[in-house]
Amino acid sequence: MADRDRSVDLDGKQVGLIGNRSSAIQVLPVIQPKVAKLITFVRCPTWVYLTHRFEPHVYTEEERECFWMDLAAHLVYWKNQEDVMNDLFLMFFTGSAQQQTLFTHLVQAMNDKLGGWND
């Protein structure tokens, strides 16, 4: 959790939250129910979007047994996982083809979820 001074009583107060990155994303849902009014100040919007590709995988008993009994299969599996994650890293480079593709996909997905509202 983001560091904040918990001795400050926020109950019923008007609070301004500067920023919208990881600390603000952690702090906002914790303080929002306590305050009378919350205003966030941001330079640009942040999207928090979890796609089905990134949902945690729950390993079956059979998968766990396979990994336990066949260390070579386990190594192949984890090397593949590393390759997938390393390929995703390029999306963080401004202007990269991976970033542009992801952005296009996310804009379309958000528009679909919002019913065409694209403000």
Side-chain angles (χ1 to χ4, degrees):
M1 177 62 154
D3 190 25
R4 65 181 177 88
D5 185 351
R6 295 179 195 321
S7 69
V8 175
D9 180 18
L10 299 177
D11 290 336
K13 302 266 176 49
Q14 293 187 25
V15 176
L17 183 61
I18 300 171
N20 65 337
R21 296 216 171 169
S22 61
S23 293
I25 288 171
Q26 294 175 56
V27 169
L28 188 139
V30 173
I31 67 172
Q32 185 275 328
K34 300 175 184 181
V35 302
K37 184 174 185 177
L38 178 64
I39 299 172
T40 58
F41 299 91
V42 299
R43 273 188 266 180
C44 59
T46 294
W47 293 6
V48 178
Y49 183 85
L50 181 64
T51 66
H52 70 278
R53 285 184 50 195
F54 300 112
E55 290 177 6
H57 176 72
V58 177
Y59 295 96
T60 65
E61 193 59 43
E62 292 79 22
E63 288 172 314
R64 287 184 270 170
E65 179 74 19
C66 175
F67 293 152
W68 181 255
M69 301 303 290
D70 187 350
L71 295 180
H74 189 220
L75 180 62
V76 167
Y77 175 80
W78 281 109
K79 289 290 185 183
N80 181 56
Q81 294 299 307
E82 283 182 348
D83 289 345
V84 168
M85 295 308 292
N86 287 337
D87 288 345
L88 290 174
F89 183 72
L90 294 172
M91 73 179 164
F92 296 107
F93 287 100
T94 301
S96 69
Q98 290 84 350
Q99 187 181 67
Q100 292 171 358
T101 299
L102 179 64
F103 181 78
T104 300
H105 167 75
L106 290 176
V107 167
Q108 184 59 53
M110 293 301 282
N111 281 331
D112 292 347
K113 290 183 183 300
L114 295 171
W117 182 75
N118 57 9
D119 186 16

